[in-house]
Amino acid sequence: MDDAELALLQRAYAASGKLLKGRAISQPEEAALRKVNSLVITATNTIPTGPGGVIPVPANTERFWKAPNLVLYTAKAISQPLSISNGFDGKEAWNQDARGRVAPPLPLDAIRAKRMADFYEPLNMKKNYTDLKVTGLEKIGDREVYEVVGIPEEKIPERFYFDVQTGLLVRRVMTVPTAVGPSPYEWNYDDYRDAGSGVKYPYTVRTEPAGPRNEFSSHSITKISKIQENVAIDNAKFVKPESKEPPP
């Protein structure tokens, strides 16, 4: 390691105390986030269809999210009678396909769904990951970012990339084991805005591939049109639905 590389790494580690909270969160930012206890997120996205999910179908989506860990996501196609949904009811994750069949996700996906259902996940990284460390500085587009690596429950390293200037999360990368080796699945976050409480949310999210089990060539772009904070949501909304057919 030359002097320049050492200087970059030292700079990254100097920020690690804040980054390990999930992002460079100041006390006022954390206080603002703690005051939010529910979200309703309205957006457009695509439903991956066809072999490997490579045929995107435009859809209107809603995500209902309530502390501490209740989630419901629905996607309804714009031009055809097609809808899917998934959620976490506080105990287990579930998926409902276009035929109305309800089934649990694969074990690895279920572990990750539970962790990501945590409403205050950005504040709980030390609880959710062991051996968290800043591994250095990277470039994503024209942004300089810190790379942070942590080991979650499933023991597969996960990577986070935080903007050096803002501390905001730019990219998150998981991997899915396959017969031909690890397959990356990444979220890219952009267009952060304040929805009213002082908390900044990414209004554009791009995933590659479209889903963790889709073909690598697929992708999906979520464009958020509205975020409502602290909406009263009945817990009954998050109850796992009955399957309309026997699960596959």
Side-chain angles (χ1 to χ4, degrees), residues 11-33 121-125 134 144-148 160-170 192 198-200:
R11 181 179 169 192
Y13 272 95
S16 63
K18 291 182 178 179
L19 289 172
L20 296 188
K21 290 184 178 179
R23 41 175 282 216
I25 293 178
S26 65
Q27 288 185 341
E29 287 176 316
E30 180 171 346
L33 182 54
E121 186 189 17
L123 304 178
N124 293 328
M125 287 188 72
V134 178
E144 191 175 43
V145 297
Y146 295 114
E147 181 186 63
V148 177
F160 302 85
Y161 298 86
F162 297 91
D163 189 296
V164 169
Q165 298 300 318
T166 66
L168 296 170
L169 184 62
V170 174
Y192 276 87
V199 178
K200 290 185 177 180

Side-chain angles (χ1 to χ4, degrees), residues 96-172:
Q96 186 170 43
D97 65 17
R99 292 172 59 178
R101 299 178 298 183
V102 177
L106 294 172
L108 174 61
D109 298 342
I111 291 172
R112 290 172 169 174
K114 178 181 178 180
R115 183 168 65 250
M116 296 181 72
D118 179 0
F119 193 84
Y120 300 112
E121 186 189 17
L123 304 178
N124 293 328
M125 287 188 72
K126 282 190 174 181
K127 180 181 75 174
N128 293 331
Y129 298 87
T130 60
D131 197 28
L132 273 168
K133 56 186 176 183
V134 178
T135 55
L137 287 170
E138 303 285 345
K139 291 280 287 188
I140 295 180
D142 59 355
R143 296 175 177 175
E144 191 175 43
V145 297
Y146 295 114
E147 181 186 63
V148 177
V149 179
I151 309 298
E153 178 184 347
E154 63 271 24
K155 306 302 182 185
I156 301 173
E158 190 170 338
R159 289 173 167 77
F160 302 85
Y161 298 86
F162 297 91
D163 189 296
V164 169
Q165 298 300 318
T166 66
L168 296 170
L169 184 62
V170 174
R171 178 177 291 171
R172 179 177 190 170

Side-chain angles (χ1 to χ4, degrees), residues 166-234:
T166 66
L168 296 170
L169 184 62
V170 174
R171 178 177 291 171
R172 179 177 190 170
V173 182
M174 298 179 180
T175 57
V176 178
T178 72
V180 294
S183 176
Y185 177 49
E186 68 178 44
W187 292 262
N188 293 280
Y189 305 97
D190 202 1
D191 189 22
Y192 276 87
R193 304 182 213 166
D194 184 343
S197 66
V199 178
K200 290 185 177 180
Y201 304 94
Y203 276 66
T204 300
V205 181
R206 180 185 178 98
T207 58
E208 296 185 21
R213 306 289 170 174
N214 294 134
E215 289 288 340
F216 190 69
S217 60
S218 66
H219 70 271
S220 178
I221 300 176
T222 299
K223 291 284 189 180
I224 294 174
S225 58
K226 182 169 61 174
I227 295 180
Q228 301 172 76
E229 300 173 308
N230 293 325
V231 177
I233 309 173
D234 193 314

